[in-house]
């Protein structure tokens, strides 16, 4: 499965600082890289209304061993009682922030001031332990949220902590299920935009990924596989 790095940059106060060896270019380079990592923004998530088609096809593909798919894309629909509908998507920009945390901590609370809301999130993979805890807290605090979480892949489902976290969000009221062909088609129609490609004259032209959604060969087979795994976890 794709590994989403949940580690944040922290300083260990018990570590004793040591002077680097004299004339050590390798050590200076390591220190420079470390400083650059520490200066990365602690929280930065890309937000928009439409996902590039190629990004959707890669990140949402429901393969079992998802090499290279190390970011999370989350498409959301928020429906208010008065008939208002809001859509958008988030994606991880740095490993210290996850799209689910951003949505349930920063985005969704803006829509909770006027009664009950129905929320549907289509996510490229199921939440990590920390994001699952964030979702559960949000649902416990706001009893007026009706949440459906529809995921393409299950993140590290072999880990006992992950399995427990998924059971936790279900017990908090989240309706969790796997994406099927109809869900992919829905997301394609409502959240995906054509990739911008320029020809030699600098004019935009269509690519093969701009038309109707074309499912990959084993989409439904993989969906059934994940459905069985999810049923094992939350039963």
């Amino acid at each position: 499965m794709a590994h989403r790095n949940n580690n944040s940059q922290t300083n260990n106060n018990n570590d004793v600082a040591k002077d680097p060896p004299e004339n050590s270019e390798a050590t200076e380079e390591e220190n420079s890289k470390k400083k650059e990592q520490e200066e990365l923004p602690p929280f930065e998530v890309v937000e928009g209304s439409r996902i590039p088609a190629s990004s959707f096809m890669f990140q949402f593909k429901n393969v079992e061993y998802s090499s290279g798919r190390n970011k999370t894309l989350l498409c959301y629909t928020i429906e208010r009682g008065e008939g208002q509908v809001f859509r958008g998507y988030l994606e991880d920009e740095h490993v210290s922030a996850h799209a689910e945390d951003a949505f349930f901590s920063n985005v969704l609370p803006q829509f909770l001031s006027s009664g009950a809301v129905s929320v549907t999130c289509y996510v490229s993979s199921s939440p990590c332990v920390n994001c699952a805890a964030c979702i559960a807290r949000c649902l416990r605090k706001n009893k007026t949220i009706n949440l459906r979480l529809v995921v393409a892949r299950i993140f590290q489902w072999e880990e006992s902590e992950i399995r427990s976290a998924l059971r936790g969000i279900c017990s908090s009221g989240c309706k969790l299920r796997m994406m099927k062909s109809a869900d992919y088609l829905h997301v394609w129609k409502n959240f995906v935009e054509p990739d911008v490609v320029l020809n030699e004259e600098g004019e935009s032209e269509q690519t093969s990924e701009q038309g109707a959604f074309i499912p990959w060969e084993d989409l439904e087979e993989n969906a059934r596989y994940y459905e069985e795994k999810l049923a094992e976890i939350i039963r």
Side-chain angles (χ1 to χ4, degrees), residues 14-127:
N14 295 323
D15 290 343
V16 179
K18 297 180 180 180
D19 294 331
E22 294 184 1
N23 302 323
S24 174
E25 295 181 0
T27 302
E28 290 179 1
E29 184 178 354
E30 290 176 0
N31 289 338
S32 177
K33 288 181 179 179
K34 182 178 180 181
K35 181 179 180 181
E36 183 180 350
Q37 291 174 345
E38 290 174 345
E39 290 175 350
L40 282 174
F43 187 94
E44 185 174 340
V45 171
V46 174
E47 183 174 0
S49 59
R50 293 276 177 172
I51 305 169
S54 57
S55 181
F56 168 78
M57 292 296 289
F58 179 73
Q59 296 292 346
F60 271 86
K61 195 168 186 178
N62 60 351
V63 291
E64 180 179 2
Y65 298 103
S66 46
S67 177
R69 293 169 175 85
N70 55 1
K71 64 166 59 180
T72 302
L73 273 63
L74 181 152
C75 305
Y76 65 85
T77 300
I78 302 172
E79 300 180 47
R80 280 177 164 172
E82 57 268 31
Q84 292 179 308
V85 179
F86 305 88
R87 290 189 178 93
Y89 92 95
L90 303 169
E91 69 176 75
D92 302 338
E93 179 67 14
H94 296 303
V95 294
S96 56
H98 288 169
E100 302 98 322
D101 190 2
F103 177 73
F104 286 94
S105 297
N106 296 349
V107 177
L108 183 57
Q110 303 174 43
F111 298 89
L112 300 179
S113 60
S114 59
V117 294
S118 293
V119 181
T120 302
C121 294
Y122 298 91
V123 195
S124 56
S125 70
S126 62

Side-chain angles (χ1 to χ4, degrees), residues 12 39-40 49 57 59 81 107 122 131 140 145 153 157 165 172-173 186 190 196 206 210 214-215 218 230 232:
N12 189 337
E39 290 175 350
L40 282 174
S49 59
M57 292 296 289
Q59 296 292 346
V107 177
Y122 298 91
C131 288
R140 288 194 297 266
I145 300 175
R153 303 184 302 274
W157 57 266
S172 299
H186 173 81
N190 291 281
V196 177
Q206 278 198 338
Q210 287 185 338
I214 302 175
D218 52 358
L230 183 59
E232 285 180 17

Side-chain angles (χ1 to χ4, degrees), residues 179-198:
M179 289 183 70
K180 299 180 180 180
S181 292
D183 300 304
Y184 280 97
L185 180 59
H186 173 81
V187 174
W188 181 269
K189 289 181 176 179
N190 291 281
F191 296 96
V192 175
E193 67 179 357
D195 292 327
V196 177
V197 178
L198 301 180

